[in-house]
Amino acid sequence: MTATQESGTRTGDKLLGKVAFVTGGTRGIGAAISRSLASQGADVAAGYSGNQQAAEKFAQDFTATFPDRDVTVHRGDIGSAEDCRRCVAEVVEQHGRLDVLVNNAGITVDRTVAKMVDADWSRVIDVNLSGAFYLSQAALKHMLERGSGRIVMISSVIGETGGIGQVNYASAKSGLFGLTKTLAREAAMQLQRSGNTNGIGITVNAVTPGYTATEMLDAVPEKVLDGLRAKIPLGRLGQPEEVARVVHFLAADASSYITGQVWGVNGGLDM
Ligand SMILES: NC(=O)c1ccc[n+]([C@@H]2O[C@H](COP(=O)([O-])OP(=O)(O)OC[C@H]3O[C@@H](n4cnc5c(N)ncnc54)[C@H](OP(=O)(O)O)[C@@H]3O)[C@@H](O)[C@H]2O)c1
Protein backbone atom coordinates (compact mmCIF):
# COMPACT_ATOMS: atom_id res chain seq x y z
CA MET A 1 0.00 0.00 0.00
CA THR A 2 1.39 3.45 -0.92
CA ALA A 3 1.47 6.43 1.41
CA THR A 4 -1.26 8.09 -0.69
CA GLN A 5 -3.61 5.11 -0.41
CA GLU A 6 -2.82 4.82 3.29
CA SER A 7 -4.11 8.32 4.05
CA GLY A 8 -7.21 8.05 1.81
CA THR A 9 -9.12 5.35 3.66
CA ARG A 10 -9.44 3.90 7.15
CA THR A 11 -6.52 1.48 7.47
CA GLY A 12 -6.04 1.03 11.21
CA ASP A 13 -7.15 1.94 14.71
CA LYS A 14 -3.97 3.23 16.33
CA LEU A 15 -5.66 6.59 16.99
CA LEU A 16 -9.23 5.47 17.62
CA GLY A 17 -10.91 7.75 20.19
CA LYS A 18 -8.23 10.44 19.84
CA VAL A 19 -8.74 14.05 18.78
CA ALA A 20 -6.05 15.75 16.68
CA PHE A 21 -5.72 19.48 15.96
CA VAL A 22 -3.70 20.10 12.79
CA THR A 23 -2.90 23.75 12.09
CA GLY A 24 -2.97 24.52 8.37
CA GLY A 25 -4.79 21.20 8.23
CA THR A 26 -7.00 22.07 5.28
CA ARG A 27 -4.41 22.22 2.48
CA GLY A 28 -1.08 20.75 1.40
CA ILE A 29 0.94 18.74 3.90
CA GLY A 30 -1.52 19.61 6.69
CA ALA A 31 -4.50 18.15 4.79
CA ALA A 32 -2.52 14.96 4.18
CA ILE A 33 -1.71 14.83 7.91
CA SER A 34 -5.40 15.30 8.79
CA ARG A 35 -6.38 12.40 6.48
CA SER A 36 -3.52 10.25 7.69
CA LEU A 37 -4.53 10.67 11.35
CA ALA A 38 -8.16 9.91 10.41
CA SER A 39 -7.00 6.79 8.54
CA GLN A 40 -5.95 5.54 11.99
CA GLY A 41 -9.29 6.47 13.58
CA ALA A 42 -8.69 10.01 14.91
CA ASP A 43 -11.29 12.78 14.85
CA VAL A 44 -9.76 15.89 13.34
CA ALA A 45 -9.87 19.63 13.97
CA ALA A 46 -8.17 21.43 11.08
CA GLY A 47 -6.98 25.04 11.34
CA TYR A 48 -6.69 27.57 8.51
CA SER A 49 -6.13 31.31 8.21
CA GLY A 50 -8.37 32.70 5.47
CA ASN A 51 -9.02 30.33 2.57
CA GLN A 52 -12.59 29.45 3.55
CA GLN A 53 -13.32 27.74 0.23
CA ALA A 54 -10.41 25.32 0.66
CA ALA A 55 -11.47 24.68 4.27
CA GLU A 56 -15.05 23.84 3.24
CA LYS A 57 -13.89 21.57 0.43
CA PHE A 58 -11.46 19.84 2.80
CA ALA A 59 -14.26 19.19 5.33
CA GLN A 60 -16.62 17.85 2.63
CA ASP A 61 -14.00 15.51 1.16
CA PHE A 62 -12.98 14.38 4.64
CA THR A 63 -16.55 13.46 5.58
CA ALA A 64 -17.03 11.61 2.28
CA THR A 65 -13.86 9.58 2.90
CA PHE A 66 -14.22 9.05 6.65
CA PRO A 67 -18.00 9.13 7.33
CA ASP A 68 -17.58 7.76 10.86
CA ARG A 69 -15.00 10.39 11.91
CA ASP A 70 -15.77 13.90 13.22
CA VAL A 71 -14.16 16.88 11.53
CA THR A 72 -14.26 20.58 12.46
CA VAL A 73 -12.46 23.54 10.91
CA HIS A 74 -11.10 26.49 12.91
CA ARG A 75 -10.23 29.85 11.42
CA GLY A 76 -7.50 31.87 13.11
CA ASP A 77 -4.18 33.58 12.54
CA ILE A 78 -1.53 31.62 14.38
CA GLY A 79 0.66 34.69 14.17
CA SER A 80 -1.58 35.98 16.99
CA ALA A 81 -1.22 34.58 20.53
CA GLU A 82 -4.92 35.27 21.22
CA ASP A 83 -6.04 33.31 18.14
CA CYS A 84 -3.78 30.39 19.13
CA ARG A 85 -5.30 30.22 22.60
CA ARG A 86 -8.85 30.64 21.25
CA CYS A 87 -8.41 27.86 18.68
CA VAL A 88 -7.10 25.36 21.24
CA ALA A 89 -9.98 26.25 23.60
CA GLU A 90 -12.48 25.87 20.70
CA VAL A 91 -11.14 22.41 19.81
CA VAL A 92 -11.34 21.20 23.42
CA GLU A 93 -14.84 22.65 23.79
CA GLN A 94 -16.16 21.15 20.54
CA HIS A 95 -14.46 17.72 20.78
CA GLY A 96 -14.18 17.38 24.57
CA ARG A 97 -10.44 16.66 24.49
CA LEU A 98 -7.19 17.20 22.59
CA ASP A 99 -4.75 14.31 22.24
CA VAL A 100 -2.55 15.34 19.31
CA LEU A 101 -1.40 18.82 18.30
CA VAL A 102 0.35 19.13 14.94
CA ASN A 103 1.97 22.54 14.48
CA ASN A 104 1.98 22.43 10.69
CA ALA A 105 0.86 25.87 9.43
CA GLY A 106 3.69 27.90 8.00
CA ILE A 107 4.49 30.62 5.50
CA THR A 108 7.43 31.91 3.49
CA VAL A 109 8.34 35.52 2.74
CA ASP A 110 11.63 35.07 0.90
CA ARG A 111 14.21 37.85 0.48
CA THR A 112 17.95 38.07 0.86
CA VAL A 113 19.26 39.42 4.15
CA ALA A 114 20.15 42.70 2.43
CA LYS A 115 16.59 43.21 1.17
CA MET A 116 14.62 41.89 4.11
CA VAL A 117 12.51 44.48 5.92
CA ASP A 118 11.43 44.28 9.56
CA ALA A 119 7.89 43.17 8.71
CA ASP A 120 9.13 40.22 6.55
CA TRP A 121 11.29 39.04 9.42
CA SER A 122 8.73 39.35 12.19
CA ARG A 123 5.73 37.95 10.28
CA VAL A 124 7.51 34.68 9.48
CA ILE A 125 8.87 34.35 13.03
CA ASP A 126 5.40 35.11 14.46
CA VAL A 127 3.59 32.51 12.33
CA ASN A 128 6.20 29.76 12.03
CA LEU A 129 7.76 29.89 15.51
CA SER A 130 5.77 31.96 18.01
CA GLY A 131 2.49 30.41 16.83
CA ALA A 132 3.85 26.92 17.55
CA PHE A 133 4.88 28.10 21.03
CA TYR A 134 1.48 29.62 21.95
CA LEU A 135 -0.44 26.63 20.60
CA SER A 136 1.83 24.16 22.38
CA GLN A 137 1.65 26.11 25.64
CA ALA A 138 -2.15 25.97 25.60
CA ALA A 139 -2.29 22.33 24.48
CA LEU A 140 0.34 21.17 26.98
CA LYS A 141 -1.67 22.53 29.92
CA HIS A 142 -4.64 20.43 28.82
CA MET A 143 -2.45 17.36 28.09
CA LEU A 144 -0.79 17.56 31.53
CA GLU A 145 -4.22 17.62 33.17
CA ARG A 146 -5.17 14.49 31.21
CA GLY A 147 -1.78 12.82 31.64
CA SER A 148 -1.15 12.10 27.95
CA GLY A 149 -0.60 13.80 24.61
CA ARG A 150 1.45 14.18 21.47
CA ILE A 151 2.86 17.36 19.94
CA VAL A 152 4.47 17.27 16.49
CA MET A 153 6.15 20.30 14.88
CA ILE A 154 6.44 20.50 11.12
CA SER A 155 9.81 22.17 10.69
CA SER A 156 11.82 21.97 7.44
CA VAL A 157 15.11 20.71 6.05
CA ILE A 158 15.84 24.44 5.59
CA GLY A 159 15.98 24.72 9.40
CA GLU A 160 18.91 22.29 9.25
CA THR A 161 20.75 23.59 6.18
CA GLY A 162 19.74 27.27 5.93
CA GLY A 163 18.58 28.57 2.56
CA ILE A 164 19.48 31.54 0.39
CA GLY A 165 16.75 34.18 0.64
CA GLN A 166 15.16 32.37 3.59
CA VAL A 167 16.83 33.78 6.70
CA ASN A 168 13.49 34.38 8.44
CA TYR A 169 12.11 30.95 7.47
CA ALA A 170 15.32 29.06 8.35
CA SER A 171 15.59 30.85 11.71
CA ALA A 172 11.98 30.05 12.59
CA LYS A 173 12.28 26.42 11.46
CA SER A 174 15.50 25.81 13.40
CA GLY A 175 13.94 27.62 16.36
CA LEU A 176 11.37 24.81 16.35
CA PHE A 177 14.16 22.35 17.28
CA GLY A 178 14.85 24.21 20.55
CA LEU A 179 11.12 24.52 21.17
CA THR A 180 10.60 20.78 20.57
CA LYS A 181 13.44 19.66 22.83
CA THR A 182 12.58 22.04 25.66
CA LEU A 183 8.88 21.17 25.57
CA ALA A 184 9.79 17.46 25.47
CA ARG A 185 11.94 17.84 28.59
CA GLU A 186 9.46 19.98 30.51
CA ALA A 187 6.48 17.79 29.61
CA ALA A 188 8.32 14.66 30.80
CA MET A 189 9.45 16.37 34.01
CA GLN A 190 6.03 17.78 34.85
CA LEU A 191 4.27 14.52 34.12
CA GLN A 192 6.66 12.58 36.36
CA ARG A 193 6.21 15.15 39.14
CA SER A 194 2.43 14.90 38.88
CA GLY A 195 2.57 11.11 39.12
CA ASN A 196 -0.13 11.12 36.42
CA THR A 197 1.58 8.45 34.32
CA ASN A 198 -0.36 5.98 32.19
CA GLY A 199 2.29 4.59 29.85
CA ILE A 200 1.24 6.83 26.95
CA GLY A 201 2.98 9.92 28.31
CA ILE A 202 3.44 13.25 26.56
CA THR A 203 5.95 13.38 23.73
CA VAL A 204 7.11 16.26 21.56
CA ASN A 205 8.88 15.67 18.25
CA ALA A 206 9.69 17.54 15.04
CA VAL A 207 9.48 16.43 11.41
CA THR A 208 11.63 18.11 8.76
CA PRO A 209 10.15 17.71 5.27
CA GLY A 210 12.34 18.32 2.27
CA TYR A 211 10.89 19.83 -0.91
CA THR A 212 7.30 18.60 -1.00
CA ALA A 213 4.77 19.02 -3.82
CA THR A 214 2.26 21.55 -2.42
CA GLU A 215 1.05 25.04 -3.32
CA MET A 216 3.89 26.44 -1.18
CA LEU A 217 6.27 25.47 -3.99
CA ASP A 218 4.15 27.35 -6.57
CA ALA A 219 6.25 30.42 -5.73
CA VAL A 220 9.40 28.58 -6.85
CA PRO A 221 10.23 28.90 -10.60
CA GLU A 222 10.30 25.58 -12.56
CA LYS A 223 13.98 26.07 -13.41
CA VAL A 224 14.87 26.42 -9.74
CA LEU A 225 12.77 23.31 -8.96
CA ASP A 226 14.73 21.35 -11.58
CA GLY A 227 17.94 22.41 -9.81
CA LEU A 228 16.51 21.31 -6.45
CA ARG A 229 15.42 17.92 -7.82
CA ALA A 230 18.95 17.36 -9.10
CA LYS A 231 20.27 17.72 -5.54
CA ILE A 232 17.84 15.18 -4.02
CA PRO A 233 19.38 11.68 -3.95
CA LEU A 234 15.95 10.12 -4.64
CA GLY A 235 15.60 12.47 -7.65
CA ARG A 236 12.08 13.77 -7.01
CA LEU A 237 9.97 15.98 -4.75
CA GLY A 238 8.25 14.41 -1.77
CA GLN A 239 4.49 13.89 -1.60
CA PRO A 240 2.51 15.34 1.35
CA GLU A 241 1.38 11.82 2.32
CA GLU A 242 5.02 10.77 2.74
CA VAL A 243 5.41 13.40 5.47
CA ALA A 244 2.01 12.59 6.99
CA ARG A 245 2.76 8.92 7.65
CA VAL A 246 5.63 9.89 9.99
CA VAL A 247 3.23 12.13 11.92
CA HIS A 248 0.66 9.38 12.48
CA PHE A 249 3.47 7.05 13.56
CA LEU A 250 4.67 9.59 16.14
CA ALA A 251 1.09 10.27 17.28
CA ALA A 252 0.40 6.64 18.23
CA ASP A 253 0.33 5.60 21.91
CA ALA A 254 2.99 2.99 21.13
CA SER A 255 5.48 5.74 20.15
CA SER A 256 5.72 6.74 23.83
CA TYR A 257 9.53 6.30 24.07
CA ILE A 258 10.28 8.70 21.20
CA THR A 259 10.56 12.30 22.35
CA GLY A 260 12.62 15.40 21.57
CA GLN A 261 13.64 13.98 18.17
CA VAL A 262 13.87 15.43 14.67
CA TRP A 263 12.60 13.19 11.86
CA GLY A 264 13.83 13.95 8.34
CA VAL A 265 11.56 13.17 5.35
CA ASN A 266 13.56 14.62 2.51
CA GLY A 267 14.59 12.02 -0.07
CA GLY A 268 18.10 11.99 1.38
CA LEU A 269 18.68 15.71 0.77
CA ASP A 270 20.58 16.29 4.03
CA MET A 271 22.99 13.35 3.74
N1 LIG B 1 5.99 22.32 0.78
C1 LIG B 1 7.26 22.17 1.10
O1 LIG B 1 8.14 21.94 0.25
C2 LIG B 1 7.69 22.19 2.54
C3 LIG B 1 8.99 21.77 2.87
C4 LIG B 1 9.40 21.79 4.19
C5 LIG B 1 8.52 22.21 5.18
N2 LIG B 1 7.27 22.62 4.85
C6 LIG B 1 6.42 23.08 5.94
O2 LIG B 1 5.24 22.29 5.97
C7 LIG B 1 4.14 23.07 6.46
C8 LIG B 1 2.99 22.98 5.47
O3 LIG B 1 3.45 23.46 4.21
P1 LIG B 1 2.55 23.36 2.89
O4 LIG B 1 3.50 23.33 1.75
O5 LIG B 1 1.54 22.29 3.04
O6 LIG B 1 1.84 24.80 2.94
P2 LIG B 1 0.58 25.37 2.13
O7 LIG B 1 0.20 24.41 1.04
O8 LIG B 1 0.95 26.76 1.77
O9 LIG B 1 -0.60 25.36 3.24
C9 LIG B 1 -0.44 26.17 4.36
C10 LIG B 1 -1.57 25.94 5.35
O10 LIG B 1 -1.27 26.76 6.50
C11 LIG B 1 -2.34 27.68 6.74
N3 LIG B 1 -1.81 28.93 7.22
C12 LIG B 1 -0.94 29.77 6.59
N4 LIG B 1 -0.71 30.86 7.34
C13 LIG B 1 -1.45 30.72 8.47
C14 LIG B 1 -1.69 31.54 9.62
N5 LIG B 1 -1.09 32.72 9.77
N6 LIG B 1 -2.53 31.10 10.56
C15 LIG B 1 -3.15 29.90 10.43
N7 LIG B 1 -2.98 29.08 9.37
C16 LIG B 1 -2.16 29.49 8.40
C17 LIG B 1 -3.04 27.83 5.40
O11 LIG B 1 -4.38 28.30 5.59
P3 LIG B 1 -5.23 28.94 4.34
O12 LIG B 1 -5.64 27.76 3.50
O13 LIG B 1 -6.36 29.63 4.99
O14 LIG B 1 -4.29 29.85 3.61
C18 LIG B 1 -2.93 26.40 4.86
O15 LIG B 1 -3.94 25.58 5.43
C19 LIG B 1 4.70 24.50 6.65
O16 LIG B 1 5.05 24.71 7.98
C20 LIG B 1 5.94 24.50 5.77
O17 LIG B 1 6.88 25.43 6.22
C21 LIG B 1 6.84 22.62 3.56
Side-chain angles (χ1 to χ4, degrees):
M1 184 176 288
T2 66
T4 314
Q5 288 165 329
E6 194 175 55
S7 71
T9 50
R10 175 74 178 278
T11 54
D13 58 6
K14 287 189 199 125
L15 298 173
L16 202 58
K18 309 276 184 191
V19 173
F21 178 28
V22 184
T23 67
T26 57
R27 286 202 288 124
I29 294 172
I33 292 170
S34 297
R35 290 190 296 267
S36 171
L37 295 170
S39 79
Q40 291 295 327
D43 291 336
V44 171
Y48 70 104
S49 61
N51 191 336
Q52 181 102 22
Q53 211 181 353
E56 281 166 13
K57 176 154 191 339
F58 161 79
Q60 270 169 16
D61 292 350
F62 183 103
T63 304
T65 312
F66 304 104
D68 61 341
R69 293 297 97 214
D70 276 350
V71 64
T72 53
V73 290
H74 303 265
R75 184 173 181 158
D77 174 10
I78 61 159
S80 141
E82 287 72 33
D83 276 15
C84 290
R85 291 191 267 265
R86 175 188 45 84
C87 284
V88 170
E90 234 175 66
V91 173
V92 173
E93 193 191 312
Q94 291 180 23
H95 290 267
R97 58 194 285 166
L98 173 57
D99 301 277
V100 181
L101 168 67
V102 185
N103 285 311
N104 163 78
I107 56 166
T108 53
V109 183
D110 293 354
R111 287 191 225 301
T112 57
V113 171
K115 291 187 180 153
M116 188 156 292
V117 300
D118 297 0
D120 302 333
W121 169 263
S122 34
R123 180 64 183 154
V124 171
I125 299 291
D126 286 351
V127 173
N128 293 8
L129 180 58
S130 303
F133 168 71
Y134 291 119
L135 288 156
S136 301
Q137 187 184 42
L140 186 58
K141 185 169 181 286
H142 171 79
M143 289 172 180
L144 282 165
E145 281 163 14
R146 299 192 56 245
S148 63
R150 299 280 180 262
I151 299 178
V152 182
M153 315 286 178
I154 305 301
S155 174
S156 168
V157 69
I158 298 296
E160 298 166 312
T161 62
I164 290 174
Q166 296 201 293
V167 68
N168 48 2
Y169 185 79
S171 302
K173 292 299 188 181
S174 58
L176 289 176
F177 303 149
L179 178 60
T180 298
K181 288 167 195 275
T182 304
L183 280 170
R185 285 180 186 276
E186 287 197 16
M189 180 190 73
Q190 287 177 358
L191 205 58
Q192 278 164 31
R193 277 194 187 156
S194 73
N196 193 4
T197 45
N198 53 15
I200 299 169
I202 300 177
T203 68
V204 188
N205 290 284
V207 176
T208 52
Y211 299 104
T212 311
T214 71
E215 288 170 37
M216 184 175 261
L217 289 194
D218 286 354
V220 181
E222 197 51 41
K223 213 170 148 192
V224 176
L225 279 181
D226 284 343
L228 294 176
R229 276 190 205 96
K231 287 188 196 149
I232 302 169
L234 291 184
R236 64 173 177 85
L237 301 180
Q239 292 301 315
E241 291 77 13
E242 292 174 311
V243 177
R245 70 195 310 273
V246 177
V247 178
H248 90 228
F249 164 75
L250 291 170
D253 286 357
S255 296
S256 60
Y257 201 57
I258 305 170
T259 198
Q261 304 303 304
V262 178
W263 293 72
V265 186
N266 56 37
L269 185 62
D270 65 343
M271 284 193 285

